[in-house]
Amino acid sequence: LFPDAEIIAHKDVAEPPAGGPKEFILAMSNMALPKPVRDFIGVAKEVDLRDVVVTKPNRLLADGESLELNLGGVPVLIRHVGPAHKSSDVIVYLPGQKVLFAGDLVFNGLTPHITSRYEDAMRTYRYLESLDIDVVIPGHGDVTDKAHLVKTRKYFEMLYAIARNGQAAGIPA
């Protein structure tokens, strides 16, 4: 929708999904997914995406790379912080406004998930918690606050402890 804009992304998402957004949604609709996901995809299939042209990012961040920008007098930090939710996790932080755009590192009202090693995800959440923030814009759900970051990290710590205890007891996954 913004073909002339600078689009900044992590190198792992340099290429859009094969076939474009409509084909991606249709392919997902054929997978064995939980009912809420199938319901969402059903709604998404109703949106006509045939004319959407996916514009590739034109500025790619390497692993751990940061950009410090000044946009209209507002300092902005864009930083690759993954892997946690995915290898391509990038945040946008406005230190003057104490606002964090967390993307899918934060789900508010939905069950969060990570695809990385537990230790990598914990490093990412501890970094986010170290930032001076009042407002968190999650990837999913309502706007929230820093306390929700702590809640998310503690959720993963709880899951990890349960999994380790189960593994130690010989309980299969």
Side-chain angles (χ1 to χ4, degrees), residues 31 46 74 86 118 171:
M31 294 180 184
E46 300 300 319
V74 176
K86 290 192 173 184
Y118 171 78
I171 300 170

Side-chain angles (χ1 to χ4, degrees), residues 48-53:
D48 186 357
L49 300 171
R50 288 175 294 190
D51 294 332
V52 173
V53 176

Side-chain angles (χ1 to χ4, degrees), residues 28-106:
M28 284 186 63
S29 67
N30 293 325
M31 294 180 184
L33 299 169
K35 184 176 179 349
V37 176
R38 288 193 317 270
D39 290 346
F40 168 75
I41 292 168
V43 171
K45 287 193 318 188
E46 300 300 319
V47 178
D48 186 357
L49 300 171
R50 288 175 294 190
D51 294 332
V52 173
V53 176
V54 178
T55 304
K56 293 181 185 181
N58 47 29
R59 187 166 186 177
L60 298 174
L61 298 177
D63 292 343
E65 186 177 359
S66 295
L67 291 174
E68 293 184 19
L69 305 175
N70 186 307
L71 303 177
V74 176
V76 176
L77 172 69
I78 301 173
R79 181 174 183 191
H80 172 256
V81 294
H85 175 72
K86 290 192 173 184
S87 64
S88 57
D89 294 319
V90 171
I91 60 161
V92 177
Y93 175 49
L94 285 63
Q97 290 74 20
K98 299 184 179 184
V99 173
L100 173 68
F101 292 83
D104 284 348
L105 292 165
V106 176

